Amino acid sequence: MRFTFNNKVTVTKIPVVTFGKTENSILKTEANGGTYDVNNPENNISNVKKKDTKKPTVKGVKNNKAYKKSVKFKVSDKSGIKKVTLNKKKIKVSKAKKGYTVKKKGKYTMKVWDKAGNVRTVKFKIKK
């Protein structure tokens, strides 16, 4: 079933079946650009969670930019940072969150994963 309220909120009811009988249902709601999963056991709505679809934030370096000196970048995300790599080498998340400095001349590809599975890729160069 699919319901729309005031042309803004769409709710889809999906039955969950276990051993041939319906135990509960899940409501999937899309509103204000966000998607929410709602458990509906015994018709009591609970566990409303907004899905994180936003890529992690990187400050201090910009994609496809060249720098003439060392750069220091910081990473952040509301759901938390899972992993950071620079040219496929892992960087400690704690260091990347506080500020990580890249000093050597070269081409770099940084990837940042958040705990929701979103990935941000930033490519940059250092020319000294």
Side-chain angles (χ1 to χ4, degrees):
M1 287 185 258
R2 192 170 170 95
F3 307 95
T4 302
F5 303 99
N6 300 329
N7 295 322
K8 292 181 182 178
V9 179
T10 302
V11 178
T12 306
K13 186 174 181 180
I14 306 163
V16 177
V17 179
T18 305
F19 302 110
K21 100 180 190 187
T22 301
E23 288 188 348
N24 58 33
S25 61
I26 298 171
L27 297 178
K28 182 179 177 184
T29 307
E30 297 169 17
N32 301 325
T35 301
Y36 301 81
D37 288 331
V38 181
N39 290 330
N40 190 10
E42 300 172 9
N43 294 322
N44 295 317
I45 296 175
S46 61
N47 297 331
V48 177
K49 295 180 183 178
K50 183 176 181 181
K51 286 188 179 180
D52 177 5
T53 58
K54 192 174 179 183
K55 293 179 181 182
T57 301
V58 176
K59 292 184 179 181
V61 290
K62 294 188 179 189
N63 196 37
N64 296 320
K65 186 163 180 184
Y67 299 92
K68 293 182 181 179
K69 59 182 183 176
S70 301
V71 295
K72 183 176 182 178
F73 65 82
K74 290 183 181 184
V75 300
S76 62
D77 189 84
K78 288 183 180 181
S79 71
I81 300 296
K82 181 178 179 181
K83 181 169 103 172
V84 180
T85 62
L86 188 63
N87 289 351
K88 298 184 180 180
K89 291 183 181 180
K90 265 188 162 181
I91 294 174
K92 284 189 175 184
V93 170
S94 60
K95 287 185 179 182
K97 287 168 71 175
K98 290 178 184 175
Y100 188 88
T101 303
V102 182
K103 297 177 182 178
K104 292 183 180 180
K105 177 180 164 181
K107 293 181 181 180
Y108 295 92
T109 300
M110 176 188 8
K111 287 191 176 186
V112 184
W113 288 261
D114 68 15
K115 290 184 179 179
N118 303 303
V119 182
R120 166 131 4 235
T121 301
V122 179
K123 295 181 180 188
F124 62 95
K125 293 179 189 177
I126 296 179
K127 301 181 193 179
K128 287 188 174 184

